[in-house]
Amino acid sequence: MSATTHIPTEARERPPILVAGPIAWARDNLFNSWLSTAVTLALIYLIVRGIAGFLDWGVLHAVWTVPADAKGQLDPTACRDAKGIGACWAFIGDKWRFILFGRYPYDDQWRPAICVVLFIGLFVVSAMRRFWRKELGYIWLGTLVVIGILMWGGILGMPFVQQDSWGGLPMTLILATFGLALAFPLAVLVALGRRSTGLPAVRYLCVAYVELIRGVPLISVLFMASVMFPLFMPVGLNPDKLLRAQLGIILFGAAYLAEVIRGGLQALPKGQYEAADALGLTYWQKMGQIILPQALRLVIPPMVNTFIGSFKDTSLVLIIGIFDLLTTGKVALAEPIWQGYSTEVYIVLAVIYFIFCYAMSRYSRGLETEFSRTARR
Amino acid sequence: MSQAALQPDTQPAIVLDKVNKWFGALHVLRDVTLTVGQGERVVVCGPSGSGKSTMIRCINRLESHQEGRIVVDGTELTDDLRALDTIRREVGMVFQSFNLFPHLTILENCTLAPIWVRKMPKAEAEELAMDYLKRVKIPEQAKKYPGQLSGGQQQRVAIARALCMRPKIMLFDEPTSALDPEMIKEVLDVMIELAESGMTMVCVTHEMGFARQVADRVVFMDRGEIVEAGKPIEMFENPQTDRLKLFLSQILRGH
Ligand SMILES: Nc1ncnc2c1ncn2[C@@H]1O[C@H](COP(=O)(O)OP(=O)(O)OP(=O)(O)O)[C@@H](O)[C@H]1O
Ligand SMILES: [Mg+2]
C-alpha cells in the first residue's frame, strides 16, 4: 500500500512492541491519564489482595485431611482450629460422594457415575454438527433408556433403587436435560402458535399460556406441581414428585424460550415466508426448512441465555425436597461434625455449575461464528 | 380502452374477472378484468402504488381478493387449500428483492421445492437444478451461498429456483428494480430467453425496451384500475388516455 511510504522515519524506526504490543495496549488503555493510572493501580492492588487472600485461605492454611479414630470416625478438630483462617477441604473429601450422588446406595454409586458420563457424552455428541441427523434421535432414546436402566436397576443383577434415593449431580442433569430437551420443541410450537393468523383459538391459548407462566415465579409453579396438583387428581392417578417437578420446569422454561424464538420469527423478512409460499411448500415444510432454521440461528445468544438460566433454576427443586446437587450440598452441611463449612460446599457447587454453564456459553459462541461464516447475508 | 384488446386469441392461462380488493378502507384493485392466454407475455406497468404488485400477488394468492373471480390454469382460487396447492405448483414467482434462502446453498435453493413439493428424488432434482443454473448461466456458483453472489446473479438464481418447479406460468414483480444498472441486462437476457421458449409470463416492470421486445400485450394500471391495454408499440407510440401519456413522459424522463 502506498500509505506505508508516508509514515515518518522516526515512527518506522520505533520498536514495534511499543506501537502494537501489550505494553502499548496497557499504556493506551490503562495508564493514559493520572486518573486512569490511579484507578488501575487501585484495582490491581485489590485484585492481588483478593487472590492472595483466597490462596492463603484455600491453599496455604487449608486442612486437606483429618485423622480418623479406630472406628473410622473422623476427628474434625483440625478443621475447627483452622476455622476462619483456612478452608476445610477435608469435609469435601469426606462428603464428595454424597454431594455428587446423594442417598444413592454407596456401593452402587458407580451407576449414577456412569449416567453422568453418558449425559456428558450425549451433550458432546449433540453439540457436533456432523451428528445433526435423524440418527441423533435414536442415540438420545438409546442413551436415555440405558440411563434409566442404570438408575433404577432391578435387572442384570443390579439391585433396584427407588427414585426417592436418587440425588446429586445425576438428578440435576436429569432435570436440566429433560427440562431443556422437552421445553425446546414445546417452545417452538408455542411460538408458532402465537404467530398463527389462521387459528385465533390457538393463538389465544399460546398467549394465555406464556403470560400466565411468565407472571408467576418458578418456585410457585414447583409448589403448585408438588402440593396442589395432587389435590386435583383422582387417587391413584398421581404421577410422582419428580415427574411433577420435571413438568413444572418444562412448562416454565418453554414459556420463556417461546418468547425468545418468537423474536427470531419476527426478525425474519416477510419475503422469506412469501418465497416459501410461492414455491408451494406446506406450512410445516415452510417452517421446518426455511423459517425455523433461520429464526433459531438469529436467537442463539438469547436462547443459550435462557438455557443457562433454566439449568441453574433446576436448583429451586430444593424447596420441594428433591435431592438435586444443591440439596445434597445443603444436606451434607447438616452433618453434626461438619456444620459450619458452607463456604467450601458452595465453592464446589459453584465450580460444577460454572463448568456446565460456561461450556454452554462457549459452545453458543462457536455456533454463532460458524453460522455467520457459512451463511453470510 | 377497447374490450377486444383484453381478449387474447389462445385458451386462457389466467382469468381475472371483476376482481376487487381492499386493504382496510383502501380500495387497491377496482374491477380488474384481465385474461392471459397460454404462452402469452403480458407486461404490467403503472405508477407507484397503483396496485400492480397486489394484482400479480393475487394470482398465486400471496394476497387474497375479496370480490370477483380468479381462475388460474383452469382452477379457481378460493379458500380451498388443495386448489391453492395445485396452483402454486404451476405458478412460479420472482420477487423484486430476490428472496433467496440465505441459509441454503444455491443448489439447495433450487432443489428444495422439487424435493419437498414434487417429491422428486434428490439426485434427479440436483440434475434438474444444474440444468436450469446452466440456462441462467451460473452453474459454477452452485455450491456458494446467496450472500456471496451479486444482485444480478441472485436474481438469476431466483428465476432458476422458480423454473425448477417446471411451472406453466411465471410471475415477475419488478425483477430488475433492485439491481444496479450494469446487472439489469444479464437478468433481462434470461427473461427474454424464457419468453422465447414459450413460457406464459406476467411481468411487472418499467423496462420499456423489454416490453417492446417480448410483450404480446402491455397493461397500464393506475389507482387500482386497468386503464389501458394493448400491443406495446400502439401503447407507447399512441397512448389513448392522459394518465398513460403522463406516465410515459415521466418514465422517459426518468431514463
Ligand atoms: N399489506 C398491505 N397493507 C396495506 N396496504 C397495502 C399493503 N400492500 C400494499 N398496500 C397499499 O396498496 C396500494 C397498492 O400497492 P402495490 O404494492 O400493489 O402497488 P404497486 O403498483 O406495486 O407499487 P410499486 O410500484 O411501488 O411497487 C398502495 O397504496 C399500498 O400502500
Ligand atoms: Mg410493487
Side-chain angles (χ1 to χ4, degrees), chain B residues 205-216:
Chain B
T205 182
H206 291 161
E207 293 296 331
M208 292 306 151
F210 172 78
R212 272 172 203 272
Q213 193 175 344
V214 307
D216 297 310

Side-chain angles (χ1 to χ4, degrees), chain A residues 116-177:
Chain A
V116 168
V117 173
L118 284 176
F119 268 125
I120 293 173
L122 202 53
F123 302 153
V124 170
V125 168
S126 312
M128 288 192 272
R129 283 192 81 188
R130 81 184 111 111
F131 292 111
W132 288 6
R133 306 193 230 120
K134 224 179 274 156
E135 291 81 359
L136 190 58
Y138 302 123
I139 294 180
W140 268 76
L141 210 64
T143 312
L144 292 181
V145 167
V146 172
I147 286 175
I149 291 172
L150 281 169
M151 291 302 286
W152 267 301
I155 53 169
L156 302 174
M158 295 184 292
F160 177 73
V161 177
Q162 258 192 323
Q163 215 167 285
D164 289 348
S165 314
W166 300 5
L169 185 55
M171 182 60 94
T172 292
L173 292 181
I174 288 171
L175 288 170
T177 307

Side-chain angles (χ1 to χ4, degrees), chain A residues 279-295:
Chain A
L279 284 169
L281 298 179
T282 64
Y283 176 82
W284 291 109
Q285 288 169 348
K286 170 173 70 175
M287 289 304 163
Q289 302 297 318
I290 309 299
I291 304 302
L292 283 173
Q294 295 185 66

Side-chain angles (χ1 to χ4, degrees), chain A residues 286-330:
Chain A
K286 170 173 70 175
M287 289 304 163
Q289 302 297 318
I290 309 299
I291 304 302
L292 283 173
Q294 295 185 66
L296 294 178
R297 277 171 210 197
L298 284 178
V299 294
I300 289 174
M303 211 154 63
V304 171
N305 199 28
T306 312
F307 275 3
I308 290 176
S310 314
F311 181 78
K312 292 185 292 188
D313 278 352
T314 58
S315 59
L316 286 172
V317 297
L318 173 89
I319 58 137
I320 56 170
I322 286 177
F323 265 66
D324 81 320
L325 193 56
L326 184 65
T327 315
T328 53
K330 284 201 80 112

Side-chain angles (χ1 to χ4, degrees), chain A residues 272 274 277 289 294 374, chain B residues 57 88 100 103 116 145:
Chain A
Q272 292 292 309
E274 292 178 349
D277 283 337
Q289 302 297 318
Q294 295 185 66
T374 54
Chain B
R57 288 155 60 87
R88 282 186 175 162
L100 293 180
H103 63 301
W116 287 93
Y145 286 88

Side-chain angles (χ1 to χ4, degrees), chain B residues 23 26 28 47-54 63 174:
Chain B
F23 281 119
L26 188 67
V28 276
S48 180
S50 56
K52 309 179 295 292
S53 298
T54 310
E63 305 285 358
E174 304 206 31

